[in-house]
Amino acid sequence: MKLSVIIPVYQVEATLNRCVESVIGQTFTDLEVILVDDGSPDSCPQKCDEWAEKDSRIHVIHKNNGGLSDARNAGLDMATGDYITFVDSDDYLQSDTYQQVMPLAATCDIVEFPIYRFFGSQKQSLLSFDTALYTDKTDYWLKQKAYEHTYAWNKIYKASLFGNIRFPKGHVFEDVFTFPSLLQQATVVGTSSQGLYYYCQNGQGITATAKGPELTDLLNAHLQTIPRWCDDRYYMHVLNIQMDVYELTGNHPKLPYRHINIFGNGLSCIQRIKGLALNILGVNNICKLNKTIHRWIKAH
């Protein structure tokens, strides 16, 4: 059961060694590690080659800069493992993660494992799961709120899922575009209580710096998924993104209207209030109201 670990590399001199060490030091050893140098202008290309000389399981791709999606796709084209996973080169893993998760992965098409989000910052938090199997993908997406953690890197995938699927080049929040397509191909999805991925704070990352165009990409990704799987909680999640996009761009809202049951289970107090406003005002007017309130707050 070979696992292909794809690591895109671009301007990560300070963290690359930590990342690679955490992968090749895994207690699960049936690995191939694919370092994709995405035209990095620093010493990363040399570091990649040095790692390949140290460990025969490591392979290196040197390519012109094409962005994260293009780098991951290049790794997918080279991968020969039965299973695929990704690691971002400014992150790292607990040493027994793959050993703990691979037995469950062998029974699933996708398995997701815990994350320390924004590790090393004041926002750090542990996202954990119960060990469970899902054959109903709607149940997984909505009840597990998978739409809040569509990350590529805290999951192990059966390689065959990527047969006709690649990450979209030229887009940010590429995971949000790609994961629902992989999920649709899956028959069984697992969550594991074991393993741990350290997602480290990056002040220059898309999550921290996203503006109107980037959040429009995020909105468009969710708009592709809403017709497939949706409940009131997920809709309110996407509504928040739509309001942010409208505030930053002024572009006409794209999110279709949905009536919210404000007395339904699972909604927070804020979601119930927003749901009531949505039911009264509609999507266009709640976006306008949100923008007006924020302008007033900034002015005062």
Side-chain angles (χ1 to χ4, degrees):
M1 254 191 353
K2 183 163 75 170
L3 176 64
S4 295
V5 185
I6 297 171
I7 307 177
V9 176
Y10 186 77
Q11 288 190 321
V12 284
E13 287 177 319
T15 59
L16 180 59
N17 287 345
R18 179 186 67 184
C19 173
V20 178
E21 285 169 357
S22 79
V23 174
I24 64 169
Q26 289 290 307
T27 51
F28 180 87
T29 57
D30 192 6
L31 304 171
E32 70 171 0
V33 181
I34 303 173
L35 299 177
V36 186
D37 162 34
D38 192 34
S40 189
D42 53 11
S43 66
C44 284
Q46 180 183 349
K47 286 178 178 289
C48 289
D49 290 337
E50 289 171 353
W51 274 111
E53 291 176 5
K54 294 176 184 177
D55 194 316
S56 61
R57 298 174 298 171
I58 298 177
H59 311 286
V60 179
I61 299 172
H62 295 289
K63 59 182 286 297
N64 294 330
N65 180 252
L68 180 58
S69 287
D70 197 45
R72 285 179 177 165
N73 292 342
L76 285 168
D77 291 342
M78 175 182 272
T80 62
D82 306 295
Y83 293 85
I84 303 283
T85 193
F86 301 91
V87 181
D88 280 0
S89 45
D90 44 9
D91 300 334
Y92 63 102
L93 293 144
Q94 183 174 283
S95 63
D96 55 357
T97 293
Y98 296 150
Q99 186 71 48
Q100 291 180 331
V101 177
M102 282 301 290
L104 182 60
T107 69
C108 304
D109 298 292
I110 302 171
V111 63
E112 181 172 24
F113 53 90
I115 321 165
Y116 236 129
R117 291 192 281 195
F118 306 109
F119 187 71
S121 77
Q122 291 183 341
K123 295 196 303 178
Q124 77 176 33
S125 63
L126 178 64
L127 175 64
S128 58
F129 305 96
D130 294 328
T131 297
L133 294 177
Y134 295 84
T135 54
D136 184 338
K137 288 170 281 191
T138 302
D139 203 33
Y140 168 71
W141 183 257
L142 298 176
K143 291 187 179 179
Q144 188 61 253
K145 294 201 281 188
Y147 51 83
E148 293 185 351
H149 39 91
T150 59
Y151 316 116
W153 26 253
N154 73 317
K155 300 171 183 72
I156 294 173
Y157 314 83
K158 190 174 286 185
S160 58
L161 294 181
F162 285 97
N164 296 312
I165 296 174
R166 290 295 184 269
F167 291 91
K169 293 191 286 187
H171 292 279
V172 295
F173 293 106
E174 61 289 320
D175 299 348
V176 191
F177 280 97
T178 307
F179 184 60
S181 297
L182 294 166
L183 184 58
Q184 193 171 31
Q185 296 291 321
T187 302
V188 180
V189 180
T191 55
S192 173
S193 62
Q194 298 183 306
L196 188 58
Y197 185 100
Y198 290 89
Y199 167 33
C200 298
Q201 173 74 5
N202 181 354
Q204 300 305 311
I206 283 295
T207 303
T209 62
K211 304 298 182 187
E214 292 81 13
L215 289 179
T216 299
D217 258 0
L218 177 60
L219 174 64
N220 288 337
H222 282 295
L223 289 176
Q224 290 181 10
T225 304
I226 269 191
R228 192 181 303 156
W229 306 304
C230 192
D231 63 4
D232 285 352
R233 285 195 306 179
Y234 179 39
Y235 183 89
M236 297 304 293
H237 175 81
V238 181
L239 177 63
N240 285 338
I241 301 168
Q242 176 64 87
M243 290 192 296
D244 288 342
V245 169
Y246 179 81
E247 182 176 355
L248 291 168
T249 68
N251 293 336
H252 187 77
K254 299 179 182 180
L255 180 65
Y257 171 73
R258 175 186 174 102
H259 182 84
I260 302 299
N261 177 10
I262 62 171
F263 301 109
N265 293 330
L267 293 179
S268 67
C269 290
I270 292 175
Q271 286 175 327
R272 295 182 199 278
I273 293 168
K274 283 185 179 178
L276 177 61
L278 172 71
N279 292 344
I280 296 170
L281 298 173
V283 176
N284 292 353
N285 287 328
I286 197 174
C287 286
K288 291 177 182 177
L289 176 62
N290 178 70
K291 185 173 183 177
T292 300
I293 291 171
H294 284 180
R295 278 182 173 174
W296 185 88
I297 291 172
K298 288 177 182 177
H300 294 79

